[in-house]
Amino acid sequence: MSTDAAAPALASVETIKARSRRLRGTLAEGLQDPITGALHEDDTQLLKYHGSYQQDDRDLREERRLQKLEPAYAFMIRARLPGGVVTPAQWLRLDAIARTYAERGIRLTTRQTVQLHGVLKRDLKRTLQDINAALIDTIATCGDINRNVTVGANPQRSALHAALYAQAAALSEHLLPRTRAYHEIWLDEKRVAGSGEEEEPLYGPAYLPRKFKIGFAIPPDNDVDVLSQDLGFVAHVETDAVAGYTVTVGGGMGATAGDARTYPRIADALGFVRRDQVLAVATAVITAQRDLGDRGDRRQARLKYTLDRLGLDRLRAEVERRAGFELQPPRPFAFTSSGDRFGWTQGDDGLWHLTLRIVAGRLQDSAERSHLSGLREIAAIHPGVFRITPNQNLVIAGVPGQACAAVDALVARHQLGDFRHASPLQLHALACVALPTCGLAMAEAERYLPDLLRQVQALLHAHGLGDAPLGLRISGCPNGCSRPYLSEVALVGRAPGRYDLRLGGDHRGQRLNVLYRENLDEAAVLAALDPLLQRYAAERAAGERFGDFLVRAGVVVPAVQRT
Ligand code: SRM
Ligand code: SF4
């Protein structure tokens, strides 16, 4: 057998990356083609590394097909905002850009950043230029590369948050690709000799085998769902300063329907590092995954599968060899919640922080509410920053005591204060974007969330559980963008109007839920929940959460729990 025949087949995306002249492809040419609203097929893969996806409006797909028109192509843009921090000046620019070029306002994501949807090809370059003019870029927010780095956003320990944010921002910079493709294509930087051949010392010419995600958690809060990240840093605090981090590896949510080789996975603790070792250990984990990850099968390419193939000890040895130091044993940590704290909190810096509930992260002006207008007015008077949470919510962070009343008045006027009336179920629910923009959606999620919550809330009321905290997450497909596999109750889309019902996650992000019933419509979901809620109301222990009760009562048997 020849060596070639024995080598694993390279996924076609690998070939596209390797031949792309460091992510350039023919993107610049394709942008100028006025005949189509789309880009060349290979370039749509490369575009992701520049922070954008080509999509089409799925509500219009069939109608346009019948009219023999090309799909209604438009682009989603994702910003790079480590830790979700945006200044008021930047917010005002993003708001103006969204109103000028995008549809459906601003979307806060589960990775603490903003997405714009519906940008037309002819406006794509100008939109990216305007975003960069706000001193925000979109580099590496998508694609097989390190993505937006998340940081716990709960505000009560502001000094600590500042330290972690600085560390995460530095790491995000350190992990950027070195190609100048982004600057040439979107920002008109001049091509120079060597353009297209830049060294990529960290990533190499074909970048990573698959996407890569990093999060920093500040116990006891686990709002970043740190155990769902490829690489996690759990902060250990001694005398009010970060002494170092327990490093976790191999988390991931994505699964493919019908492919049992794919699964959500909770990360394992790899070891403990000091603060000054973060860059080195991250580089070592990423290069290990670069060299040892599966490039022949994209469904097996995430770090979680590399880890399961190698085993934790071998991966640790690889990481230590590459980092040039030994990791200390992991230290114990405990989380109490993966949700946000709503309302005003005073930080240890004496300033005030207001966390607003933004349903499914969608900020829009409509007949009922004026979210964008309200945030514009707040940005105009706000001396602090905005902080997006990994639960799709928004913190107005760093408000001096004397300015709180003015912020409150604007929040009330523009109905940004839903959190004051919402039930725990409504406050903490997450939904991914799904239809009409997501090309992978099998069912509704964001658009269905309010309706679904009304139905489940009615069921809770019927059992006297109206105020019971219940974590519910819904995704339009098994990829799990709302991290549904960590939720007490999850709906995972399988087909229009049909969902797998999963139960028994905890509310701390430390236990995966379990498939309870497959492919249910709404009536069947509610019918399945009804007797379980009835039992919960009658049999729960004081303070016991629904997910924990289901496990204790033996309704579901969880596979893994990390404590
Ligand atoms: Fe995601 C793909 C939206 C967080 C797992 N995700 C997509 C795409 C880009 C669809 C596509 O590939 O064509 C979705 C675009 C929809 C749209 O119209 O905007 C999409 N993902 C989102 C967002 C916007 C969901 C949200 O409602 O907030 C989140 C944006 C994050 C960001 O700002 O960077 C988002 N995606 C996540 C998360 C949660 C997280 O990272 O904390 C996950 C699970 C964690 C993980 O990665 O394991 C996630 N998205 C996926 C996957 C499955 C990956 C896998 O290993 O199998 C895909 C599909 C893929 O990569 O092939 C995907
Ligand atoms: Fe799209 Fe599926 Fe992610 Fe939802 S979970 S945004 S449907 S890829």
Side-chain angles (χ1 to χ4, degrees), residues 486-534:
L486 286 166
S487 180
E488 292 180 283
V489 176
L491 271 65
V492 174
R494 292 294 299 272
R498 295 203 162 252
Y499 299 86
D500 285 350
L501 176 62
R502 303 184 62 98
L503 298 175
D506 63 15
H507 55 287
R508 298 172 284 264
Q510 292 180 254
R511 184 174 69 224
L512 290 174
N513 55 26
V514 177
L515 178 62
Y516 182 68
R517 296 275 186 276
E518 266 184 278
N519 214 17
L520 304 184
D521 62 12
E522 181 182 271
V525 166
L526 297 172
L529 287 174
D530 191 31
L532 298 176
L533 290 170
Q534 186 176 23

Side-chain angles (χ1 to χ4, degrees), residues 55 109-110 115 117 211 213 253 302 437 481 483:
Q55 303 181 317
T109 76
T110 51
Q115 281 188 186
H117 289 102
K211 55 174 63 165
K213 299 182 172 180
M253 295 282 96
R302 291 291 292 268
T437 50
C481 297
R483 300 187 291 269

Side-chain angles (χ1 to χ4, degrees), residues 361-379:
R362 182 69 66 181
L363 287 164
Q364 248 177 317
D365 282 358
S366 68
E368 297 86 47
R369 57 192 70 225
S370 44
H371 282 169
L372 287 179
S373 307
L375 288 168
R376 255 196 325 276
E377 287 187 45
I378 291 172

Side-chain angles (χ1 to χ4, degrees), residues 235-257:
H236 295 275
V237 179
E238 283 169 13
T239 52
D240 282 342
V242 178
Y245 301 94
T246 288
V247 179
T248 62
V249 285
M253 295 282 96
T256 304

Side-chain angles (χ1 to χ4, degrees), residues 432-435 438-443 445 474-482:
C432 72
V433 177
L435 294 162
C438 178
L440 305 177
M442 298 169 172
I474 175 169
S475 277
C477 83
N479 283 317
C481 297
S482 59

